[in-house]
Amino acid sequence: METSKQTDSLLPVRLMQTAMILLITGLLFGFVGSLQYVLPGWLKNQLSFERVRPMHVSSVLFWIILAAMGTTLYYAGERSGSSFKVRLAGKIMQALLLVSVAGILLSYLTGNFGGREYWEYPPLLSIPIALAWVLFVWIFIKHIRNLRQQPVYVWMWLTGALFFLVTFSESYLYLIPYFRERVLLDMSIQWKSNGSIVGCWNLLIYGCSFYYMEKHDPSHTYSRSWLAFAMYFLGLFNLMFNWGHHIYTLPTHTYVRLISYAVSMTELIILARIIHGWKKSMQSSKLFVSLPGYRFMLASEYWILLNLLLAIAMSVPAINIYTHGTHITVAHAMGSTIGINSMLLLAFLHDIIWGKERKNRPWPVKSFWLLQVSLLVFWLALIAAGIRKGYWQFHEPQIPFQKMMLGLRPYFIVFMLSGCTLIIGLMASVWPLLIRSVKRAREIKNKSSLYVEHLPDEYHPIVPVRRDVAGK
Amino acid sequence: MPDRFKWTIFMTLLLSFSLYSAHLYITPPPNEQELDGVALQGKNIWQKKNCQSCHQFYGLGGYLGPDLTNTVRRRTPEQTRAFLKHGTDIMPDFRLTEDEIQAVQAFLQAMDASGTADPNRFNPTWYGNIKTD
Ligand code: HEM
């Protein structure tokens, strides 16, 4: 059965399946957490918020990380057409990931913590994650083989994958007494690594979106242009140096604040580039509308714009002192991880799992719009709650915390209700994907675990050829 | 863009990142607090019980409970003790032992000594930065 144009794609599909299951789990716990905001003390003795929050956050973050790993490996294999098999390495990697994710969720449920924000599990569990990641990098490098004249997305994938290891290791420096004993230094390094690690999975995901464009439009040469590389290096520069906007109010060195303020403002160039190419990009994107999942791609463009505006505003220290420590930060975090990361990943998953098949089915328009509108309300409710709390921090510090929180209740109710409809909208897309992925995995297995389609020529005509690519 | 160019930019960024990181690692902030044994034990309990999911230090953490950076300025040691001993309507009772409570209190004391979290202490500058008086 094997030909030179076949690559093992069972591993990526398995990663995507695990990711989707984690997303569903995470949504469930997000809902419980939002109810605990509305009904203070609910489940305090059975499943208190300190268990629910990490169950939610870790599950959804692993949804993003595993889905990004899966799509990157799939696309890298699809592109290279390499026939090398990753069975053993893939199996070990899957096993390591499953053991760590299961261990993490179990440790939360039993109230056995030990880590820090976003990685609250006992630090031992980071070892299988790191080992799995090393295997991921190895498999990826086998796919791309070398870096000669590679398009920008290969650079993005590779740097995202390698830097993840660096920043993930950095987040464990606190295990060394020198860091652990120094509270301010420790917090600075904690948020340095937390800030950069987000940039790492963003590199993987944005890399996939460049590839997606090129895959569906052979005339798409943007990913080899100067502009694309300039934007990539600007992104990498931000990943390395802009993390200080998380800790403007921490009494650390003043130059940390200044450097990250200056670096964050270079994101205005990215904003200008998006606004400049907006009309062109929207016009040409209509050509893609018949593609499965393309609507998610389009939606992400709006969410990128909204979240970038919010992020840039929050990166101005004089504004940050009002938004920091409030639900505006939560709006920023969930706005980007849902609106940008999850939308793009859903676009790729539709592409990979449904392939051409979905084209002939009616698009679930209602659930798509339910998702978008819910997310907007959800995001605005958090911002409104944040503004109210920011006002309290500055002007009414004499009002007790609990009384202030009671005043935020109407916003939390809207947050919880829009969270419910958001879950329905997301599930309506994810559930059919999950079911279809089981069939997809079986198909791959029956072909002795080989992937068949490598951009066959007949694949391209699904979409009209698109020359007026944004940014060209 | 020629590969040579890409590598030059990439290596420059990587080198700057490494130097900046190394510099930060070896130069703790001016007002650094070094924790003694008891306070360090308090920090371990803080992580072990995941207090950060509801509380913040310097605005960083979860948002269901108040920021605790300077809680020891607002509360007497007895009040703080009572919170730690019994919890509240929302905060669970973690069944901390007497030693553990003392350790957490020592840790909170050290956090307070490291600075002030109140954003009111900052004044904006004309170019959007902030400074303290
Ligand atoms: C794909 C979907 C989602 C993703 C990727 C996501 C991601 C996140 C992230 C990254 C955080 C941490 C925020 C921070 O520390 O600032 C968070 C917190 C939270 N999320 Fe979500 N979320 C999702 C859906 C939901 C839904 C549907 C709900 C409610 C119905 C929800 C409720 C919450 C709550 C209550 C918190 C804790 C806020 C706090 O710190 O007090 N999330 N989520």
Side-chain angles (χ1 to χ4, degrees), chain A residues 37 40-41 44 48-50 53-54 112-117 120 147-149 155 159 163 170 173-174 178 180-187 189 191-192 226 229 233 237 240-241 243 246 249-253 255-259 261 316-318 321 324-325 327 329-330 393-394 401-402 405, chain B residues 1-3 5-7 9-10 13-14 16-17 20-21 23-35 40 43-44 47-50 52-54 56-66 88-92 94 107 111 114-116 118-122 124 127-131:
Chain A
Y37 260 96
K44 185 183 107 175
S48 181
F49 191 73
E50 82 278 7
R53 187 182 196 268
N112 184 14
F113 306 98
R116 344 239 272 180
E117 202 170 3
E120 288 100 334
L147 264 182
R148 238 168 291 131
Q149 282 303 313
W155 281 75
T159 36
F163 262 94
E170 191 180 46
L173 280 180
Y174 78 88
Y178 168 81
R180 194 163 177 66
E181 287 162 3
R182 294 172 168 77
V183 288
L184 296 177
L185 177 66
D186 188 17
M187 284 185 80
I189 304 300
W191 289 93
K192 175 179 185 293
W226 274 78
F229 274 93
F233 283 122
F237 177 55
M240 290 172 167
F241 300 104
W243 47 268
H246 295 282
T249 61
L250 190 75
T252 179
H253 308 286
Y255 58 78
V256 170
R257 192 186 299 144
L258 256 176
I259 289 175
Y261 178 28
V316 177
I321 48 174
H324 185 69
H327 286 84
T329 312
V330 188
Q393 281 181 347
F394 260 87
F401 177 82
Q402 280 310 339
M405 285 294 270
Chain B
M1 191 181 278
D3 277 348
F5 255 60
K6 294 174 199 163
W7 280 108
I9 302 176
F10 182 78
L13 282 175
L14 188 62
S16 326
F17 174 76
Y20 188 39
S21 302
H23 170 74
L24 289 171
Y25 296 165
I26 57 175
T27 30
N31 197 29
E32 188 58 281
Q33 295 299 306
E34 282 184 43
L35 302 181
L40 200 58
K43 183 172 172 173
N44 291 345
Q47 283 183 207
K48 204 85 203 116
K49 303 288 177 193
N50 203 16
Q52 70 219 346
S53 62
C54 292
Q56 306 114 62
F57 287 129
Y58 294 103
L60 298 160
Y63 302 101
L64 199 60
T88 69
D89 289 348
I90 300 172
M91 173 171 153
F94 290 95
F107 173 52
M111 285 313 296
S114 72
T116 308
D118 182 2
N120 268 307
R121 80 194 148 102
F122 289 108
Y127 56 94
N129 202 354
I130 46 176
K131 62 177 184 14

